């Protein structure tokens, strides 16, 4: 399986990929900026952000991570663990402070 196939499988499990979320403000940010604000977050937070910013932007951001980090993030994305709206709001508030 190719790397892009794994990404697509992980992305298809994204519970928020097709609806508006509190993280939509990140869609307008450069991938370098997004990476800089999530690079030290838990892999579960990074996966949630990548879910919410869309396939292309998420893929660009993912490329910044090390191979080990990518593996952990993609694993979380593939499993597709749902995150409730309150947690998304909390993540959004914390990340807005970093921009």
């Amino acid at each position: 399986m190719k790397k892009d196939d794994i990404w697509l499988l992980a992305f298809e499990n994204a519970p928020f990929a097709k609806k508006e979320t509190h993280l939509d403000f990140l869609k307008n940010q450069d991938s370098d900026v997004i990476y800089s604000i999530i690079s030290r977050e838990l892999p579960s937070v990074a996966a949630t952000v990548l879910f919410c910013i869309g396939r292309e932007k998420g893929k660009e951001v993912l490329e910044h991570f090390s191979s080990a980090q990518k593996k952990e993030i993609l694993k979380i994305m593939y499993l597709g663990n749902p995150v409730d709206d309150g947690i998304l709001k909390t993540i959004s508030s914390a990340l807005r402070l970093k921009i």
Side-chain angles (χ1 to χ4, degrees):
M1 185 173 285
K2 296 177 184 176
K3 180 173 66 172
D4 284 346
D5 293 338
I6 294 169
W7 167 258
L8 292 175
L9 284 174
F11 194 86
E12 289 305 316
N13 286 332
F16 307 109
K18 297 174 179 76
K19 68 177 191 176
E20 291 182 23
T21 71
H22 295 286
L23 298 174
D24 283 351
F25 73 97
L26 291 173
K27 291 178 180 179
N28 297 323
Q29 299 293 324
D30 184 72
S31 62
D32 293 331
V33 171
I34 298 170
Y35 172 74
S36 71
I37 64 172
I38 67 170
S39 63
R40 291 198 162 95
E41 299 291 338
L42 293 172
S44 58
V45 172
T48 299
V49 169
L50 296 181
F51 278 151
C52 294
I53 62 174
R55 182 182 305 176
E56 293 307 314
K57 179 75 73 167
K59 190 174 176 180
E60 289 174 22
V61 175
L62 185 66
E63 290 302 317
H64 292 286
F65 287 93
S66 71
S67 294
Q69 290 170 313
K70 284 181 196 175
K71 182 178 176 180
E72 185 63 26
I73 292 167
L74 287 171
K75 178 181 171 185
I76 293 166
M77 292 179 75
Y78 182 76
L79 294 174
N81 295 331
V83 177
D84 76 21
D85 195 57
I87 292 173
L88 285 178
K89 190 173 183 178
T90 301
I91 291 170
S92 171
S93 296
L95 295 181
R96 283 180 190 272
L97 295 173
K98 290 184 173 190
I99 293 181

